[in-house]
Amino acid sequence: VIVAGIGHHPSDFRITQLLSDGTEDSSFGSSGHVEINLPSVLGISNFNLTDMARTNNQETIITGYNLGSIGGDGVLAKLDANGNLDSTFANGVGALTLRSFAPFTGQGHIIPYALAVDANNHILVATRCLYGTLVARFTPSGTLDNSFANNGVLAVSYPLGGQFPHMPVSLEIDPLGII
């Protein structure tokens, strides 16, 4: 069981890992807790956590966003089974911004609200964009999976209209791998 929320500083996020009996797992982080400041890792101004998921290897995937001068930019991070930023993810950084990938360049707001991990530990993230949703699939090492949709990103369009941009609220993968 993992629980996440805001840490001691508003830009930090804190994860607590619990054992099946509800006690803190002392093998995870420091006495069952990890607190990470992604703005200092990525050079961004803030971080807002929106979702998390687990891989088959007990790694934790985190998504959220940074609100900056050019709008929202999605953030994706991977923690190893001990709660450290995963050095095998995003060229050794353990975290990345979505706007750094070509399909997301030029999008006004890239705010991920939902993520899921498939049986092969590929990471799927659903982001809000103008008049629709972008669903991207990343490899376990943090690169776009070009075998998915259009160079790793699927645009789900909605008819124009309505007062608010469309926002994904859930992303699920069934046992057959259907998204």
mmCIF file with all atom_site columns, all heavy atoms in Angstrom, residues 5-31:
data_model
loop_
_atom_site.group_PDB
_atom_site.id
_atom_site.type_symbol
_atom_site.label_atom_id
_atom_site.label_alt_id
_atom_site.label_comp_id
_atom_site.label_asym_id
_atom_site.label_entity_id
_atom_site.label_seq_id
_atom_site.pdbx_PDB_ins_code
_atom_site.Cartn_x
_atom_site.Cartn_y
_atom_site.Cartn_z
_atom_site.occupancy
_atom_site.B_iso_or_equiv
_atom_site.pdbx_formal_charge
_atom_site.auth_seq_id
_atom_site.auth_comp_id
_atom_site.auth_asym_id
_atom_site.auth_atom_id
_atom_site.pdbx_PDB_model_num
ATOM 1   N N   . GLY A 1 5  ? 1.074  12.465 -0.816 1.00 0.00 ? 5  GLY A N   1
ATOM 2   C CA  . GLY A 1 5  ? 0.499  13.784 -0.577 1.00 0.00 ? 5  GLY A CA  1
ATOM 3   C C   . GLY A 1 5  ? 1.584  14.836 -0.580 1.00 0.00 ? 5  GLY A C   1
ATOM 4   O O   . GLY A 1 5  ? 2.734  14.582 -0.953 1.00 0.00 ? 5  GLY A O   1
ATOM 5   N N   . ILE A 1 6  ? 1.234  16.015 -0.137 1.00 0.00 ? 6  ILE A N   1
ATOM 6   C CA  . ILE A 1 6  ? 2.172  17.133 -0.089 1.00 0.00 ? 6  ILE A CA  1
ATOM 7   C C   . ILE A 1 6  ? 3.129  16.929 1.081  1.00 0.00 ? 6  ILE A C   1
ATOM 8   O O   . ILE A 1 6  ? 2.733  16.498 2.159  1.00 0.00 ? 6  ILE A O   1
ATOM 9   C CB  . ILE A 1 6  ? 1.402  18.459 0.067  1.00 0.00 ? 6  ILE A CB  1
ATOM 10  C CG1 . ILE A 1 6  ? 0.504  18.680 -1.151 1.00 0.00 ? 6  ILE A CG1 1
ATOM 11  C CG2 . ILE A 1 6  ? 2.357  19.631 0.248  1.00 0.00 ? 6  ILE A CG2 1
ATOM 12  C CD1 . ILE A 1 6  ? -0.443 19.845 -1.025 1.00 0.00 ? 6  ILE A CD1 1
ATOM 13  N N   . GLY A 1 7  ? 4.396  17.277 0.854  1.00 0.00 ? 7  GLY A N   1
ATOM 14  C CA  . GLY A 1 7  ? 5.408  17.145 1.893  1.00 0.00 ? 7  GLY A CA  1
ATOM 15  C C   . GLY A 1 7  ? 5.482  18.365 2.784  1.00 0.00 ? 7  GLY A C   1
ATOM 16  O O   . GLY A 1 7  ? 4.549  19.169 2.855  1.00 0.00 ? 7  GLY A O   1
ATOM 17  N N   . HIS A 1 8  ? 6.615  18.532 3.458  1.00 0.00 ? 8  HIS A N   1
ATOM 18  C CA  . HIS A 1 8  ? 6.811  19.650 4.373  1.00 0.00 ? 8  HIS A CA  1
ATOM 19  C C   . HIS A 1 8  ? 6.897  20.992 3.651  1.00 0.00 ? 8  HIS A C   1
ATOM 20  O O   . HIS A 1 8  ? 6.619  22.030 4.212  1.00 0.00 ? 8  HIS A O   1
ATOM 21  C CB  . HIS A 1 8  ? 8.071  19.431 5.216  1.00 0.00 ? 8  HIS A CB  1
ATOM 22  C CG  . HIS A 1 8  ? 7.887  18.353 6.226  1.00 0.00 ? 8  HIS A CG  1
ATOM 23  N ND1 . HIS A 1 8  ? 8.310  17.067 6.011  1.00 0.00 ? 8  HIS A ND1 1
ATOM 24  C CD2 . HIS A 1 8  ? 7.291  18.367 7.439  1.00 0.00 ? 8  HIS A CD2 1
ATOM 25  C CE1 . HIS A 1 8  ? 7.999  16.333 7.057  1.00 0.00 ? 8  HIS A CE1 1
ATOM 26  N NE2 . HIS A 1 8  ? 7.383  17.089 7.937  1.00 0.00 ? 8  HIS A NE2 1
ATOM 27  N N   . HIS A 1 9  ? 7.300  20.979 2.408  1.00 0.00 ? 9  HIS A N   1
ATOM 28  C CA  . HIS A 1 9  ? 7.346  22.175 1.567  1.00 0.00 ? 9  HIS A CA  1
ATOM 29  C C   . HIS A 1 9  ? 6.291  21.976 0.488  1.00 0.00 ? 9  HIS A C   1
ATOM 30  O O   . HIS A 1 9  ? 6.121  20.866 -0.010 1.00 0.00 ? 9  HIS A O   1
ATOM 31  C CB  . HIS A 1 9  ? 8.745  22.319 0.949  1.00 0.00 ? 9  HIS A CB  1
ATOM 32  C CG  . HIS A 1 9  ? 8.921  23.543 0.135  1.00 0.00 ? 9  HIS A CG  1
ATOM 33  N ND1 . HIS A 1 9  ? 8.582  23.590 -1.205 1.00 0.00 ? 9  HIS A ND1 1
ATOM 34  C CD2 . HIS A 1 9  ? 9.376  24.776 0.462  1.00 0.00 ? 9  HIS A CD2 1
ATOM 35  C CE1 . HIS A 1 9  ? 8.834  24.812 -1.661 1.00 0.00 ? 9  HIS A CE1 1
ATOM 36  N NE2 . HIS A 1 9  ? 9.314  25.542 -0.679 1.00 0.00 ? 9  HIS A NE2 1
ATOM 37  N N   . PRO A 1 10 ? 5.562  23.014 0.087  1.00 0.00 ? 10 PRO A N   1
ATOM 38  C CA  . PRO A 1 10 ? 4.476  22.826 -0.889 1.00 0.00 ? 10 PRO A CA  1
ATOM 39  C C   . PRO A 1 10 ? 4.890  22.175 -2.204 1.00 0.00 ? 10 PRO A C   1
ATOM 40  O O   . PRO A 1 10 ? 4.069  21.551 -2.861 1.00 0.00 ? 10 PRO A O   1
ATOM 41  C CB  . PRO A 1 10 ? 3.971  24.251 -1.120 1.00 0.00 ? 10 PRO A CB  1
ATOM 42  C CG  . PRO A 1 10 ? 4.342  24.988 0.112  1.00 0.00 ? 10 PRO A CG  1
ATOM 43  C CD  . PRO A 1 10 ? 5.626  24.377 0.594  1.00 0.00 ? 10 PRO A CD  1
ATOM 44  N N   . SER A 1 11 ? 6.156  22.302 -2.610 1.00 0.00 ? 11 SER A N   1
ATOM 45  C CA  . SER A 1 11 ? 6.594  21.682 -3.863 1.00 0.00 ? 11 SER A CA  1
ATOM 46  C C   . SER A 1 11 ? 7.123  20.268 -3.663 1.00 0.00 ? 11 SER A C   1
ATOM 47  O O   . SER A 1 11 ? 7.493  19.605 -4.618 1.00 0.00 ? 11 SER A O   1
ATOM 48  C CB  . SER A 1 11 ? 7.660  22.542 -4.535 1.00 0.00 ? 11 SER A CB  1
ATOM 49  O OG  . SER A 1 11 ? 7.068  23.710 -5.055 1.00 0.00 ? 11 SER A OG  1
ATOM 50  N N   . ASP A 1 12 ? 7.206  19.807 -2.424 1.00 0.00 ? 12 ASP A N   1
ATOM 51  C CA  . ASP A 1 12 ? 7.641  18.444 -2.143 1.00 0.00 ? 12 ASP A CA  1
ATOM 52  C C   . ASP A 1 12 ? 6.439  17.510 -2.195 1.00 0.00 ? 12 ASP A C   1
ATOM 53  O O   . ASP A 1 12 ? 5.317  17.916 -1.911 1.00 0.00 ? 12 ASP A O   1
ATOM 54  C CB  . ASP A 1 12 ? 8.236  18.328 -0.741 1.00 0.00 ? 12 ASP A CB  1
ATOM 55  C CG  . ASP A 1 12 ? 9.524  19.096 -0.559 1.00 0.00 ? 12 ASP A CG  1
ATOM 56  O OD1 . ASP A 1 12 ? 10.039 19.626 -1.553 1.00 0.00 ? 12 ASP A OD1 1
ATOM 57  O OD2 . ASP A 1 12 ? 10.001 19.166 0.580  1.00 0.00 ? 12 ASP A OD2 1
ATOM 58  N N   . PHE A 1 13 ? 6.690  16.272 -2.552 1.00 0.00 ? 13 PHE A N   1
ATOM 59  C CA  . PHE A 1 13 ? 5.651  15.278 -2.364 1.00 0.00 ? 13 PHE A CA  1
ATOM 60  C C   . PHE A 1 13 ? 6.204  14.222 -1.425 1.00 0.00 ? 13 PHE A C   1
ATOM 61  O O   . PHE A 1 13 ? 7.405  14.006 -1.338 1.00 0.00 ? 13 PHE A O   1
ATOM 62  C CB  . PHE A 1 13 ? 5.141  14.672 -3.676 1.00 0.00 ? 13 PHE A CB  1
ATOM 63  C CG  . PHE A 1 13 ? 6.127  13.800 -4.404 1.00 0.00 ? 13 PHE A CG  1
ATOM 64  C CD1 . PHE A 1 13 ? 6.235  12.450 -4.117 1.00 0.00 ? 13 PHE A CD1 1
ATOM 65  C CD2 . PHE A 1 13 ? 6.940  14.333 -5.398 1.00 0.00 ? 13 PHE A CD2 1
ATOM 66  C CE1 . PHE A 1 13 ? 7.129  11.653 -4.788 1.00 0.00 ? 13 PHE A CE1 1
ATOM 67  C CE2 . PHE A 1 13 ? 7.838  13.538 -6.074 1.00 0.00 ? 13 PHE A CE2 1
ATOM 68  C CZ  . PHE A 1 13 ? 7.941  12.196 -5.770 1.00 0.00 ? 13 PHE A CZ  1
ATOM 69  N N   . ARG A 1 14 ? 5.314  13.607 -0.688 1.00 0.00 ? 14 ARG A N   1
ATOM 70  C CA  . ARG A 1 14 ? 5.707  12.613 0.305  1.00 0.00 ? 14 ARG A CA  1
ATOM 71  C C   . ARG A 1 14 ? 4.944  11.328 0.016  1.00 0.00 ? 14 ARG A C   1
ATOM 72  O O   . ARG A 1 14 ? 3.738  11.350 -0.226 1.00 0.00 ? 14 ARG A O   1
ATOM 73  C CB  . ARG A 1 14 ? 5.379  13.121 1.702  1.00 0.00 ? 14 ARG A CB  1
ATOM 74  C CG  . ARG A 1 14 ? 5.790  12.175 2.800  1.00 0.00 ? 14 ARG A CG  1
ATOM 75  C CD  . ARG A 1 14 ? 5.433  12.778 4.157  1.00 0.00 ? 14 ARG A CD  1
ATOM 76  N NE  . ARG A 1 14 ? 5.781  11.867 5.207  1.00 0.00 ? 14 ARG A NE  1
ATOM 77  C CZ  . ARG A 1 14 ? 6.636  12.131 6.173  1.00 0.00 ? 14 ARG A CZ  1
ATOM 78  N NH1 . ARG A 1 14 ? 7.216  13.308 6.220  1.00 0.00 ? 14 ARG A NH1 1
ATOM 79  N NH2 . ARG A 1 14 ? 6.899  11.254 7.107  1.00 0.00 ? 14 ARG A NH2 1
ATOM 80  N N   . ILE A 1 15 ? 5.670  10.224 0.056  1.00 0.00 ? 15 ILE A N   1
ATOM 81  C CA  . ILE A 1 15 ? 5.057  8.915  -0.129 1.00 0.00 ? 15 ILE A CA  1
ATOM 82  C C   . ILE A 1 15 ? 5.339  8.088  1.116  1.00 0.00 ? 15 ILE A C   1
ATOM 83  O O   . ILE A 1 15 ? 6.457  8.065  1.629  1.00 0.00 ? 15 ILE A O   1
ATOM 84  C CB  . ILE A 1 15 ? 5.620  8.186  -1.360 1.00 0.00 ? 15 ILE A CB  1
ATOM 85  C CG1 . ILE A 1 15 ? 5.266  8.962  -2.623 1.00 0.00 ? 15 ILE A CG1 1
ATOM 86  C CG2 . ILE A 1 15 ? 5.102  6.760  -1.440 1.00 0.00 ? 15 ILE A CG2 1
ATOM 87  C CD1 . ILE A 1 15 ? 5.803  8.350  -3.878 1.00 0.00 ? 15 ILE A CD1 1
ATOM 88  N N   . THR A 1 16 ? 4.314  7.419  1.572  1.00 0.00 ? 16 THR A N   1
ATOM 89  C CA  . THR A 1 16 ? 4.444  6.491  2.687  1.00 0.00 ? 16 THR A CA  1
ATOM 90  C C   . THR A 1 16 ? 4.059  5.115  2.175  1.00 0.00 ? 16 THR A C   1
ATOM 91  O O   . THR A 1 16 ? 3.046  4.957  1.491  1.00 0.00 ? 16 THR A O   1
ATOM 92  C CB  . THR A 1 16 ? 3.512  6.897  3.849  1.00 0.00 ? 16 THR A CB  1
ATOM 93  O OG1 . THR A 1 16 ? 3.881  8.198  4.292  1.00 0.00 ? 16 THR A OG1 1
ATOM 94  C CG2 . THR A 1 16 ? 3.605  5.912  5.001  1.00 0.00 ? 16 THR A CG2 1
ATOM 95  N N   . GLN A 1 17 ? 4.897  4.133  2.481  1.00 0.00 ? 17 GLN A N   1
ATOM 96  C CA  . GLN A 1 17 ? 4.595  2.753  2.091  1.00 0.00 ? 17 GLN A CA  1
ATOM 97  C C   . GLN A 1 17 ? 4.204  1.983  3.339  1.00 0.00 ? 17 GLN A C   1
ATOM 98  O O   . GLN A 1 17 ? 4.905  2.042  4.354  1.00 0.00 ? 17 GLN A O   1
ATOM 99  C CB  . GLN A 1 17 ? 5.807  2.107  1.423  1.00 0.00 ? 17 GLN A CB  1
ATOM 100 C CG  . GLN A 1 17 ? 5.541  0.677  0.960  1.00 0.00 ? 17 GLN A CG  1
ATOM 101 C CD  . GLN A 1 17 ? 6.623  0.187  0.036  1.00 0.00 ? 17 GLN A CD  1
ATOM 102 O OE1 . GLN A 1 17 ? 6.792  0.705  -1.059 1.00 0.00 ? 17 GLN A OE1 1
ATOM 103 N NE2 . GLN A 1 17 ? 7.363  -0.831 0.457  1.00 0.00 ? 17 GLN A NE2 1
ATOM 104 N N   . LEU A 1 18 ? 3.082  1.288  3.243  1.00 0.00 ? 18 LEU A N   1
ATOM 105 C CA  . LEU A 1 18 ? 2.555  0.529  4.368  1.00 0.00 ? 18 LEU A CA  1
ATOM 106 C C   . LEU A 1 18 ? 2.605  -0.968 4.080  1.00 0.00 ? 18 LEU A C   1
ATOM 107 O O   . LEU A 1 18 ? 2.463  -1.388 2.929  1.00 0.00 ? 18 LEU A O   1
ATOM 108 C CB  . LEU A 1 18 ? 1.106  0.929  4.649  1.00 0.00 ? 18 LEU A CB  1
ATOM 109 C CG  . LEU A 1 18 ? 0.848  2.414  4.900  1.00 0.00 ? 18 LEU A CG  1
ATOM 110 C CD1 . LEU A 1 18 ? -0.648 2.667  5.018  1.00 0.00 ? 18 LEU A CD1 1
ATOM 111 C CD2 . LEU A 1 18 ? 1.584  2.881  6.139  1.00 0.00 ? 18 LEU A CD2 1
ATOM 112 N N   . LEU A 1 19 ? 2.779  -1.733 5.117  1.00 0.00 ? 19 LEU A N   1
ATOM 113 C CA  . LEU A 1 19 ? 2.689  -3.190 5.011  1.00 0.00 ? 19 LEU A CA  1
ATOM 114 C C   . LEU A 1 19 ? 1.216  -3.592 5.036  1.00 0.00 ? 19 LEU A C   1
ATOM 115 O O   . LEU A 1 19 ? 0.340  -2.768 5.340  1.00 0.00 ? 19 LEU A O   1
ATOM 116 C CB  . LEU A 1 19 ? 3.452  -3.841 6.162  1.00 0.00 ? 19 LEU A CB  1
ATOM 117 C CG  . LEU A 1 19 ? 4.955  -3.536 6.202  1.00 0.00 ? 19 LEU A CG  1
ATOM 118 C CD1 . LEU A 1 19 ? 5.574  -4.062 7.490  1.00 0.00 ? 19 LEU A CD1 1
ATOM 119 C CD2 . LEU A 1 19 ? 5.651  -4.119 4.986  1.00 0.00 ? 19 LEU A CD2 1
ATOM 120 N N   . SER A 1 20 ? 0.927  -4.839 4.770  1.00 0.00 ? 20 SER A N   1
ATOM 121 C CA  . SER A 1 20 ? -0.472 -5.286 4.684  1.00 0.00 ? 20 SER A CA  1
ATOM 122 C C   . SER A 1 20 ? -1.219 -5.136 6.014  1.00 0.00 ? 20 SER A C   1
ATOM 123 O O   . SER A 1 20 ? -2.443 -5.026 6.019  1.00 0.00 ? 20 SER A O   1
ATOM 124 C CB  . SER A 1 20 ? -0.546 -6.734 4.203  1.00 0.00 ? 20 SER A CB  1
ATOM 125 O OG  . SER A 1 20 ? 0.141  -7.581 5.101  1.00 0.00 ? 20 SER A OG  1
ATOM 126 N N   . ASP A 1 21 ? -0.502 -5.066 7.133  1.00 0.00 ? 21 ASP A N   1
ATOM 127 C CA  . ASP A 1 21 ? -1.173 -4.876 8.424  1.00 0.00 ? 21 ASP A CA  1
ATOM 128 C C   . ASP A 1 21 ? -1.362 -3.402 8.775  1.00 0.00 ? 21 ASP A C   1
ATOM 129 O O   . ASP A 1 21 ? -1.851 -3.067 9.851  1.00 0.00 ? 21 ASP A O   1
ATOM 130 C CB  . ASP A 1 21 ? -0.422 -5.597 9.539  1.00 0.00 ? 21 ASP A CB  1
ATOM 131 C CG  . ASP A 1 21 ? 0.955  -5.012 9.822  1.00 0.00 ? 21 ASP A CG  1
ATOM 132 O OD1 . ASP A 1 21 ? 1.362  -4.026 9.163  1.00 0.00 ? 21 ASP A OD1 1
ATOM 133 O OD2 . ASP A 1 21 ? 1.644  -5.548 10.718 1.00 0.00 ? 21 ASP A OD2 1
ATOM 134 N N   . GLY A 1 22 ? -0.956 -2.498 7.879  1.00 0.00 ? 22 GLY A N   1
ATOM 135 C CA  . GLY A 1 22 ? -1.157 -1.069 8.089  1.00 0.00 ? 22 GLY A CA  1
ATOM 136 C C   . GLY A 1 22 ? -0.003 -0.352 8.773  1.00 0.00 ? 22 GLY A C   1
ATOM 137 O O   . GLY A 1 22 ? -0.068 0.861  8.970  1.00 0.00 ? 22 GLY A O   1
ATOM 138 N N   . THR A 1 23 ? 1.060  -1.070 9.102  1.00 0.00 ? 23 THR A N   1
ATOM 139 C CA  . THR A 1 23 ? 2.220  -0.413 9.703  1.00 0.00 ? 23 THR A CA  1
ATOM 140 C C   . THR A 1 23 ? 3.146  0.107  8.603  1.00 0.00 ? 23 THR A C   1
ATOM 141 O O   . THR A 1 23 ? 3.142  -0.382 7.474  1.00 0.00 ? 23 THR A O   1
ATOM 142 C CB  . THR A 1 23 ? 3.003  -1.370 10.623 1.00 0.00 ? 23 THR A CB  1
ATOM 143 O OG1 . THR A 1 23 ? 3.437  -2.497 9.846  1.00 0.00 ? 23 THR A OG1 1
ATOM 144 C CG2 . THR A 1 23 ? 2.146  -1.849 11.781 1.00 0.00 ? 23 THR A CG2 1
ATOM 145 N N   . GLU A 1 24 ? 3.946  1.118  8.952  1.00 0.00 ? 24 GLU A N   1
ATOM 146 C CA  . GLU A 1 24 ? 4.878  1.697  7.992  1.00 0.00 ? 24 GLU A CA  1
ATOM 147 C C   . GLU A 1 24 ? 5.975  0.694  7.660  1.00 0.00 ? 24 GLU A C   1
ATOM 148 O O   . GLU A 1 24 ? 6.492  0.005  8.538  1.00 0.00 ? 24 GLU A O   1
ATOM 149 C CB  . GLU A 1 24 ? 5.457  2.985  8.552  1.00 0.00 ? 24 GLU A CB  1
ATOM 150 C CG  . GLU A 1 24 ? 4.383  4.047  8.717  1.00 0.00 ? 24 GLU A CG  1
ATOM 151 C CD  . GLU A 1 24 ? 4.813  5.214  9.573  1.00 0.00 ? 24 GLU A CD  1
ATOM 152 O OE1 . GLU A 1 24 ? 5.886  5.144  10.209 1.00 0.00 ? 24 GLU A OE1 1
ATOM 153 O OE2 . GLU A 1 24 ? 4.057  6.190  9.622  1.00 0.00 ? 24 GLU A OE2 1
ATOM 154 N N   . ASP A 1 25 ? 6.330  0.618  6.387  1.00 0.00 ? 25 ASP A N   1
ATOM 155 C CA  . ASP A 1 25 ? 7.357  -0.304 5.899  1.00 0.00 ? 25 ASP A CA  1
ATOM 156 C C   . ASP A 1 25 ? 8.730  0.343  6.072  1.00 0.00 ? 25 ASP A C   1
ATOM 157 O O   . ASP A 1 25 ? 9.123  1.207  5.299  1.00 0.00 ? 25 ASP A O   1
ATOM 158 C CB  . ASP A 1 25 ? 7.095  -0.636 4.434  1.00 0.00 ? 25 ASP A CB  1
ATOM 159 C CG  . ASP A 1 25 ? 8.087  -1.609 3.849  1.00 0.00 ? 25 ASP A CG  1
ATOM 160 O OD1 . ASP A 1 25 ? 9.049  -2.004 4.549  1.00 0.00 ? 25 ASP A OD1 1
ATOM 161 O OD2 . ASP A 1 25 ? 7.913  -1.978 2.677  1.00 0.00 ? 25 ASP A OD2 1
ATOM 162 N N   . SER A 1 26 ? 9.473  -0.081 7.085  1.00 0.00 ? 26 SER A N   1
ATOM 163 C CA  . SER A 1 26 ? 10.763 0.548  7.397  1.00 0.00 ? 26 SER A CA  1
ATOM 164 C C   . SER A 1 26 ? 11.824 0.321  6.321  1.00 0.00 ? 26 SER A C   1
ATOM 165 O O   . SER A 1 26 ? 12.840 1.003  6.312  1.00 0.00 ? 26 SER A O   1
ATOM 166 C CB  . SER A 1 26 ? 11.281 0.056  8.752  1.00 0.00 ? 26 SER A CB  1
ATOM 167 O OG  . SER A 1 26 ? 11.486 -1.344 8.708  1.00 0.00 ? 26 SER A OG  1
ATOM 168 N N   . SER A 1 27 ? 11.590 -0.608 5.383  1.00 0.00 ? 27 SER A N   1
ATOM 169 C CA  . SER A 1 27 ? 12.558 -0.831 4.301  1.00 0.00 ? 27 SER A CA  1
ATOM 170 C C   . SER A 1 27 ? 12.421 0.202  3.183  1.00 0.00 ? 27 SER A C   1
ATOM 171 O O   . SER A 1 27 ? 13.250 0.268  2.288  1.00 0.00 ? 27 SER A O   1
ATOM 172 C CB  . SER A 1 27 ? 12.402 -2.240 3.730  1.00 0.00 ? 27 SER A CB  1
ATOM 173 O OG  . SER A 1 27 ? 11.194 -2.345 2.995  1.00 0.00 ? 27 SER A OG  1
ATOM 174 N N   . PHE A 1 28 ? 11.376 1.022  3.248  1.00 0.00 ? 28 PHE A N   1
ATOM 175 C CA  . PHE A 1 28 ? 11.105 2.017  2.209  1.00 0.00 ? 28 PHE A CA  1
ATOM 176 C C   . PHE A 1 28 ? 11.532 3.387  2.724  1.00 0.00 ? 28 PHE A C   1
ATOM 177 O O   . PHE A 1 28 ? 11.029 3.861  3.747  1.00 0.00 ? 28 PHE A O   1
ATOM 178 C CB  . PHE A 1 28 ? 9.614  2.020  1.873  1.00 0.00 ? 28 PHE A CB  1
ATOM 179 C CG  . PHE A 1 28 ? 9.226  2.952  0.761  1.00 0.00 ? 28 PHE A CG  1
ATOM 180 C CD1 . PHE A 1 28 ? 9.446  2.600  -0.555 1.00 0.00 ? 28 PHE A CD1 1
ATOM 181 C CD2 . PHE A 1 28 ? 8.630  4.173  1.040  1.00 0.00 ? 28 PHE A CD2 1
ATOM 182 C CE1 . PHE A 1 28 ? 9.069  3.453  -1.589 1.00 0.00 ? 28 PHE A CE1 1
ATOM 183 C CE2 . PHE A 1 28 ? 8.255  5.022  0.012  1.00 0.00 ? 28 PHE A CE2 1
ATOM 184 C CZ  . PHE A 1 28 ? 8.477  4.664  -1.297 1.00 0.00 ? 28 PHE A CZ  1
ATOM 185 N N   . GLY A 1 29 ? 12.460 4.017  2.018  1.00 0.00 ? 29 GLY A N   1
ATOM 186 C CA  . GLY A 1 29 ? 12.899 5.363  2.386  1.00 0.00 ? 29 GLY A CA  1
ATOM 187 C C   . GLY A 1 29 ? 13.422 5.426  3.802  1.00 0.00 ? 29 GLY A C   1
ATOM 188 O O   . GLY A 1 29 ? 14.186 4.572  4.246  1.00 0.00 ? 29 GLY A O   1
ATOM 189 N N   . SER A 1 30 ? 12.986 6.428  4.529  1.00 0.00 ? 30 SER A N   1
ATOM 190 C CA  . SER A 1 30 ? 13.374 6.614  5.921  1.00 0.00 ? 30 SER A CA  1
ATOM 191 C C   . SER A 1 30 ? 12.176 6.272  6.796  1.00 0.00 ? 30 SER A C   1
ATOM 192 O O   . SER A 1 30 ? 11.201 7.028  6.843  1.00 0.00 ? 30 SER A O   1
ATOM 193 C CB  . SER A 1 30 ? 13.814 8.063  6.140  1.00 0.00 ? 30 SER A CB  1
ATOM 194 O OG  . SER A 1 30 ? 14.079 8.295  7.503  1.00 0.00 ? 30 SER A OG  1
ATOM 195 N N   . SER A 1 31 ? 12.215 5.118  7.418  1.00 0.00 ? 31 SER A N   1
ATOM 196 C CA  . SER A 1 31 ? 11.128 4.655  8.297  1.00 0.00 ? 31 SER A CA  1
ATOM 197 C C   . SER A 1 31 ? 9.778  4.595  7.590  1.00 0.00 ? 31 SER A C   1
ATOM 198 O O   . SER A 1 31 ? 8.744  4.910  8.159  1.00 0.00 ? 31 SER A O   1
ATOM 199 C CB  . SER A 1 31 ? 11.029 5.555  9.539  1.00 0.00 ? 31 SER A CB  1
ATOM 200 O OG  . SER A 1 31 ? 12.238 5.550  10.247 1.00 0.00 ? 31 SER A OG  1
#
